Amino acid sequence: VIAFQTRNIPHLGHEKIIKHYLSKNYTVVVNPLLGPKKKGDIKSKYLIKFYLYLKKKYKNKNLYIEPIIVNMFYAGPREAMHHANVRQMFGFRYFIIGRDHAGAENAYNKDMAIKYAKKYRKKFKIKLNLLQGSYYCSKCDKIILFENCINNHKRYLKDISGSKFRDCMNKKKLFKFADKKLQMFMFKQKKNIFY
């Protein structure tokens, strides 16, 4: 059982991470974070709705959506360790730490959480699965995990940004790297989905 934390709307990069672990026979528990967040983040009730949409899409008995009430401090690497500790206290054996984990406004280098996790991983009982993130590879023409681009096409990798996705949603524009039906579902919400 592996915990996948999120505060963002699910885009194809998130889906790639979830599918990767499902394909490795993990049970994936997505933990949308509920609690105070910054202006521009998605409201909790909509975050849950959109991840439940994904659960329905995948029809996978090993995918669970279990919200967790934790404040977001946007403290980058230190907060990634806090999140790992919270999952350890809940009894998870595995936890995903990704690039720019719990960062905001480019306050931290994108790989700082992973470097911090490598440095402190022995202090935890929980196994920290470290991912450099998911990208669109224009050479392969698909969404890939950074670690798994077989051809190592680093110069062809395009970042899939949750911030850019939120900007598109605010402007009622489709984001290239997100499920189109999910975005249409989002556009149909009667109220503003962002704080």
Side-chain angles (χ1 to χ4, degrees):
V1 177
I2 192 164
F4 174 70
Q5 173 178 300
T6 184
R7 74 174 221 275
N8 274 317
I9 310 165
H11 53 59
L12 296 179
H14 295 129
E15 289 191 47
K16 181 67 178 180
I17 293 167
I18 292 166
K19 287 192 282 190
H20 168 75
Y21 284 103
L22 289 173
S23 75
K24 302 263 184 215
N25 293 321
Y26 281 85
T27 294
V28 179
V29 180
V30 178
N31 295 141
L33 290 186
L34 311 183
K37 296 188 201 105
K38 68 181 176 68
K39 185 174 170 41
D41 272 0
I42 188 164
K43 291 178 181 174
S44 297
K45 75 176 187 175
Y46 295 108
L47 186 62
I48 294 168
K49 268 187 185 184
F50 302 147
Y51 273 96
L52 288 174
Y53 168 89
L54 272 192
K55 177 163 176 56
K56 189 175 176 182
K57 173 181 173 180
Y58 286 116
K59 298 177 182 145
N60 190 307
K61 63 182 170 97
N62 291 326
L63 176 61
Y64 294 86
I65 312 301
E66 295 294 335
I68 186 169
I69 299 172
V70 175
N71 291 359
M72 273 299 297
F73 299 103
Y74 307 94
R78 285 183 166 192
E79 189 164 359
M81 299 301 93
H82 168 64
H83 292 161
N85 192 45
V86 168
R87 292 340 182 279
Q88 183 173 288
M89 288 189 291
F90 276 127
F92 284 99
R93 292 185 63 202
Y94 301 93
F95 179 59
I96 300 166
I97 293 181
R99 96 178 177 274
D100 200 25
H101 188 108
E105 318 303 327
N106 299 315
Y108 305 95
N109 291 336
K110 289 190 182 237
D111 62 347
M112 271 186 82
I114 289 173
K115 286 180 180 174
Y116 223 68
K118 284 179 181 176
K119 182 176 179 181
Y120 294 107
R121 73 186 332 158
K122 289 183 181 170
K123 295 188 180 282
F124 291 92
K125 291 177 186 169
I126 194 169
K127 184 170 179 356
L128 305 178
N129 288 47
L130 311 177
L131 290 176
Q132 290 290 337
S134 47
Y135 295 83
Y136 171 72
C137 177
S138 60
K139 185 82 168 173
C140 298
D141 191 29
K142 63 183 179 179
I143 307 296
I144 57 99
L145 294 180
F146 181 83
E147 293 81 353
N148 293 343
C149 192
I150 296 167
N151 301 312
N152 203 15
H153 297 144
K154 288 183 185 178
R155 66 182 176 174
Y156 299 103
L157 300 182
K158 181 173 176 62
D159 187 17
I160 303 172
S161 165
S163 298
K164 288 179 185 171
F165 188 13
R166 287 192 304 270
D167 288 345
C168 284
M169 290 296 96
N170 273 323
K171 296 173 184 169
K172 303 285 188 206
K173 291 182 178 178
L174 288 175
F175 183 61
K176 179 179 178 178
F177 303 115
D179 181 294
K180 188 174 180 181
K181 285 183 182 176
L182 172 64
Q183 293 181 76
M184 298 312 290
F185 175 63
M186 292 164 73
F187 291 147
K188 289 178 184 173
Q189 302 305 307
K190 303 252 187 289
K191 295 187 178 177
N192 182 9
I193 65 172
F194 298 100
Y195 286 106

